[in-house]
Amino acid sequence: MIPAEFDYVAPDSLDAALGALRDGGEDAKVLAGGHSLIPLMKLRLAAPSLLVDLRRVPGLSGVQRENGAFRIGPMTTHSAVEANADLGLASIVAATIADAQVRHRGTIGGSIAHGDPASDMPAVMLAAEGTMTVRGPGGERQVAAADFFRDYLTTAVEDGEILTGLTLPALDGYGFAYRKFNRRREDWAMVAVCALVKKAGDGSCEDVRIGLTNMGSVPLRASTAEAALRGRPLDPDSIAAAAEQAAEGTDPPGDLNATPDYKRHLARVLSRRVLEEAAAAAA
Ligand SMILES: Cc1cc2nc3c(=O)[nH]c(=O)nc-3n(C[C@H](O)[C@H](O)[C@H](O)COP(=O)(O)OP(=O)(O)OC[C@H]3O[C@@H](n4cnc5c(N)ncnc54)[C@H](O)[C@@H]3O)c2cc1C
C-alpha cells in the first residue's frame, strides 16, 4: 500500500526537531528507524502530515556507562544493543527481535516510544526499573518505566515531545534470561518472559524481577511470582511454586495464535524456565 501524502524534515539539532514538531502540530510524528511507523502508514492506520526524522540529530545514539547504569541513546539500533554484551539482558533480548534487516534499522527508542505490548524491549526496561528521559516544549523530565507505558500503543511521550534517553540500571551480579514463544524465530512474541535474579550469600533469592511481554495492553511485572520467590531458596521447588503465579493479575488478549488461557499457561511455563536459567547464572 502507498501511504497518504506527508511532509518530511530531517533537522540537525534537537531544538530544531522540537521546533518542527511544534510547528507541525498534533499530526506531526517523530521518525526513528521507521520499522513500526512506516508499515502503519502504508496500511493507512497512521497518516501523519509531517515526519520529523531524528537521524541527523547528534547525541541520540550510543551507549555509555555512568553511575551504575547504562545511558542508551534512543536512536541506538537493535543490532547495536545486541552487539553490546555489557548490556546483559537487553543485549540477548535485542538478538530475538525480528530479523537482521529490522534490527539494523529499528531503534530501542522507537520500540519504547511506540508502546506495543508485544515488543520485546519494554518489559526489559520495566523489569530492570529503567527510566526514560523525555524532552518537550516544557523542558526535560524523567519517567520511570513503571509509569511510562500507559495503554496499548500509548506511552508517557506526549505530542510535541521526544524521547531523548533511556537509563538502564547495570544490575551487576544479577543472573538473567529471556524466553520468547513464537511460531517462527523472527516473529513477534506470542508471550515472552524475562527474569533478573540476585542471589544472597546463603544462596537464597535476594531479589527477582520478572517482565511479561504480550500479557496485557502494556508490559507487566509478575509481581505475585516475584514476591513468592524473594527470600526463598533458589531451588526447583521454590522456583516452580513462584512461576505458577506468574499470570496473576494479567489480562492477555486472545488472538489468532493463542487464547488468553494458553497465554497464561505460556507465562507460567516460560517463567519457570527463565527463573531456573537466571538463578543458575546469578553470581
Ligand atoms: C517485520 C517486522 C518484524 C518485527 N518484529 C519485532 C519483534 O519481534 N519484536 C519487537 O520488539 N519489534 C519488532 N518489530 C518492530 C521493530 O522493533 C521496530 O524497530 C520498533 O518497534 C520501532 O522502532 P523504530 O526505530 O523503527 O521506530 P519508528 O517506526 O520510526 O517509530 C515508532 C513510533 O515511535 C515514535 N518514536 C520513535 N522514536 C521516538 C523518539 N525518540 N521520541 C518520540 N517518539 C518516537 C514514532 O513517532 C512512532 O510513533 C518488527 C518490525 C518489523 C517491520
Side-chain angles (χ1 to χ4, degrees), residues 29-30 32-37 78 98 106-107 110 113 119-120 163 180 188:
K29 276 241 161 237
V30 166
H35 272 56
S36 288
L37 184 54
H78 300 311
T107 66
S119 289
D120 296 275
L163 174 66
K180 175 172 177 175
W188 297 83

Side-chain angles (χ1 to χ4, degrees), residues 74-91:
M75 292 293 281
T76 308
T77 60
H78 300 311
S79 58
V81 174
E82 174 186 2
N84 190 335
D86 291 346
L87 291 171
L89 177 62
S91 172

Side-chain angles (χ1 to χ4, degrees), residues 129-242:
E129 298 180 358
T131 307
M132 279 37 114
T133 305
V134 179
R135 175 97 61 99
E140 188 171 276
R141 61 203 171 89
Q142 311 288 327
V143 186
D147 301 321
F148 187 84
F149 303 102
R150 302 262 162 95
D151 203 347
Y152 182 71
L153 302 188
T154 308
T155 70
V157 181
E158 307 280 355
D159 287 343
E161 290 188 322
I162 295 177
L163 174 66
T164 55
L166 299 95
T167 304
L168 183 73
L171 301 178
D172 296 322
Y174 280 68
F176 55 84
Y178 188 57
R179 289 281 182 133
K180 175 172 177 175
F181 192 87
N182 47 17
R183 287 186 190 276
R184 296 172 307 171
R185 197 198 169 282
E186 66 273 17
D187 278 350
W188 297 83
M190 237 183 262
V191 171
V193 184
C194 64
L196 287 149
V197 172
K198 187 174 189 189
K199 246 182 218 172
D202 64 1
S204 65
C205 176
E206 181 176 326
D207 188 25
V208 56
R209 288 99 175 277
I210 304 168
L212 304 174
T213 292
N214 217 10
M215 288 295 290
S217 58
V218 291
L220 297 170
R221 288 275 289 268
S223 311
T224 310
E226 291 176 2
L229 191 56
R230 220 169 267 125
R232 307 279 306 162
L234 283 169
D235 59 24
D237 287 348
S238 306
I239 287 175

Side-chain angles (χ1 to χ4, degrees), residues 37-88:
L37 184 54
I38 301 292
L40 287 179
M41 289 170 63
K42 286 184 163 182
L43 293 167
R44 303 231 174 176
L45 294 171
S49 54
L50 171 69
L51 290 186
V52 179
D53 192 338
L54 296 183
R55 77 192 155 86
R56 294 177 59 212
V57 176
L60 291 185
S61 66
V63 179
Q64 278 100 37
R65 182 171 172 143
E66 51 192 47
N67 303 325
F70 295 100
R71 169 98 187 156
I72 307 175
M75 292 293 281
T76 308
T77 60
H78 300 311
S79 58
V81 174
E82 174 186 2
N84 190 335
D86 291 346
L87 291 171

